[in-house]
Amino acid sequence: MQYKNEVEAVDALHQSFNNIKAEISKVVVGQDDIIKSVLIAIFSNGHCLLVGVPGLAKTLLVQTVASVLDLNFNRIQFTPDLMPSDIIGAEILGEDRHFKFIKGPVFSNIILADEINRTPPKTQAALLEAMQEKSVTAAGQTHILPKPFFVLATQNPIEQEGTYPLPEAQLDRFMFNIQLNYPAFADELNIVKNTTSNKTTPLQKIIHADDIQYFQKLIRDIPITDNVLEYAVKLAAKTRPNSEFATETINKYISWGAGPRASQFLVLGAKCHAAVTGKYSPDIEDVKAVAEPILRHRIVRNYRAEAEGLSIEKIIKDLL
């Protein structure tokens, strides 16, 4: 893919983003903000955690994204008896009496980790290691995962019986924590109409794996002014209780704040948000646009906040 300059390349990204969004919206109805967040994470080379009750088209969304982006897709249903080898693969003894590595479902471009909190920590850790290192080690051999590589994990917030909540350190690996809500009435009418007939919607493949990798590099090259960079880093620092930037609310209601990874994702997310909305450099509004899904799972409320019913979203809004 050749562009004369970076301005032309950003224009191409903006156009591609709109085309992808329009194509996904043919199948996934009424989830525009969710689609936008997932695509921003993909172009920023980050992973997503989708939190929502069953039946909100989380799986359909991921399948549709994979199809429109022309990427390989694997779905792993997490269960209490799932072992790390069920995800990353295992060594088996072949007919020739030599061990060979059989790749697991993690060797794909997009992984849907369905109900990630249903499986024990050992298996969660195997997936999270692959997310971080973009490789898998088995029997002393390192196997590189295909590029691009994204994990879109889902969690059901209702049933917490028999689940293994992800520790904060592992949640931190996800760029975005995206909350899915029930669709609006008009959207639900549309969904039911489309899904209770024989209607099928053919999807076009808008871009390919090479294009995604090109755009990921392009986003890192986008310039950012010092005041926007400072705003992003200060925003993350503000969430840390008893630090120099902490507000009175943070000191009163928060036990742990966001780490440096949040600052990095705020800057990358703002760069990507600017590019997909047709701007050549991010401003403070772009940082604000991506702040909630980036900070939501990195801030830990204390008992007082929970007792007073103060939500994480309200705390983040006050910081902005």
Side-chain angles (χ1 to χ4, degrees):
M1 192 189 315
Q2 290 297 316
Y3 296 108
K4 289 176 194 160
N5 51 42
E6 287 186 350
V7 169
E8 198 180 283
V10 171
D11 290 339
L13 172 57
H14 174 48
Q15 188 56 52
S16 297
F17 177 83
N18 288 337
N19 294 346
I20 294 163
K21 206 160 165 258
E23 203 64 24
I24 294 169
S25 299
K26 287 180 187 175
V27 176
V28 182
V29 178
Q31 300 278 24
D32 283 1
D33 289 344
I34 309 298
I35 294 167
K36 185 179 182 182
S37 295
V38 169
L39 292 176
I40 285 175
I42 285 174
F43 286 124
S44 304
N45 201 7
H47 307 285
C48 278
L49 185 64
L50 302 168
V51 181
V53 297
L56 295 184
K58 298 188 287 288
T59 308
L60 178 68
L61 168 65
V62 180
Q63 282 174 326
T64 310
V65 167
S67 176
V68 173
L69 299 181
D70 195 19
L71 297 172
N72 296 327
F73 162 76
N74 272 334
R75 175 174 182 259
I76 306 169
Q77 183 65 52
F78 280 75
T79 56
D81 59 351
L82 202 71
M83 297 296 287
S85 57
D86 296 328
I87 295 175
I88 62 173
E91 289 245 309
I92 65 159
L93 190 61
E95 290 172 6
D96 58 356
R97 298 279 173 187
H98 286 95
F99 280 101
K100 58 180 177 181
F101 180 69
I102 302 295
K103 291 178 176 179
V106 79
F107 285 85
S108 192
N109 297 120
I110 292 188
I111 303 297
L112 171 59
D114 223 344
E115 300 210 65
I116 194 171
N117 56 337
R118 289 246 167 256
T119 204
K122 190 178 180 180
T123 310
Q124 289 173 351
L127 178 72
L128 290 151
E129 182 190 353
M131 284 164 57
Q132 189 66 22
E133 312 303 331
K134 305 283 170 89
S135 66
V136 159
T137 304
Q141 292 289 315
T142 299
H143 305 272
I144 305 296
L145 294 169
K147 287 180 182 175
F149 174 74
F150 311 105
V151 171
L152 298 165
T154 69
Q155 260 188 203
N156 173 358
I158 308 173
E159 304 158 314
Q160 295 307 329
E161 282 283 313
T163 61
Y164 305 85
L166 286 171
E168 269 67 31
Q170 295 188 354
L171 278 175
D172 198 41
R173 306 270 170 93
F174 290 96
M175 177 177 183
F176 281 162
N177 175 326
I178 302 169
Q179 303 278 354
L180 283 88
N181 297 312
Y182 290 113
F185 181 71
D187 290 330
E188 193 165 348
L189 273 177
N190 216 339
I191 291 164
V192 174
K193 197 173 171 183
N194 291 344
T195 54
T196 53
S197 68
N198 285 319
K199 183 182 170 190
T200 54
T201 309
L203 291 170
Q204 278 183 295
K205 298 189 186 305
I206 305 291
I207 59 173
H208 310 287
D210 292 344
D211 306 332
I212 294 168
Q213 286 177 265
Y214 175 83
F215 286 138
Q216 285 174 343
K217 289 193 183 94
L218 174 72
I219 280 157
R220 287 181 171 268
D221 286 336
I222 288 173
I224 183 167
T225 58
D226 287 348
N227 70 312
V228 178
L229 187 70
E230 224 167 85
Y231 178 84
V233 176
K234 198 176 273 186
L235 181 60
K238 272 185 191 174
T239 66
R240 299 164 196 160
N242 306 315
S243 67
E244 58 174 314
F245 299 113
T247 62
E248 198 180 318
T249 307
I250 294 295
N251 287 335
K252 191 175 175 186
Y253 294 113
I254 299 298
S255 49
W256 290 101
R261 213 179 250 142
S263 309
Q264 293 168 334
F265 282 140
L266 282 167
V267 170
L268 270 178
K271 284 182 174 191
C272 189
H273 188 273
V276 300
T277 49
K279 291 187 282 190
Y280 304 114
S281 180
D283 54 30
I284 285 170
E285 290 309 309
D286 293 305
V287 179
K288 288 180 178 178
V290 296
E292 194 179 289
I294 288 173
L295 296 175
R296 183 186 276 132
H297 54 302
R298 294 184 162 87
I299 299 174
V300 182
R301 293 176 301 164
N302 59 22
Y303 291 118
R304 182 184 280 184
E306 286 179 33
E308 292 182 24
L310 188 64
S311 70
I312 290 283
E313 287 78 9
K314 171 82 173 77
I315 292 167
I316 295 168
K317 216 159 261 170
D318 291 347
L319 288 178
L320 301 176

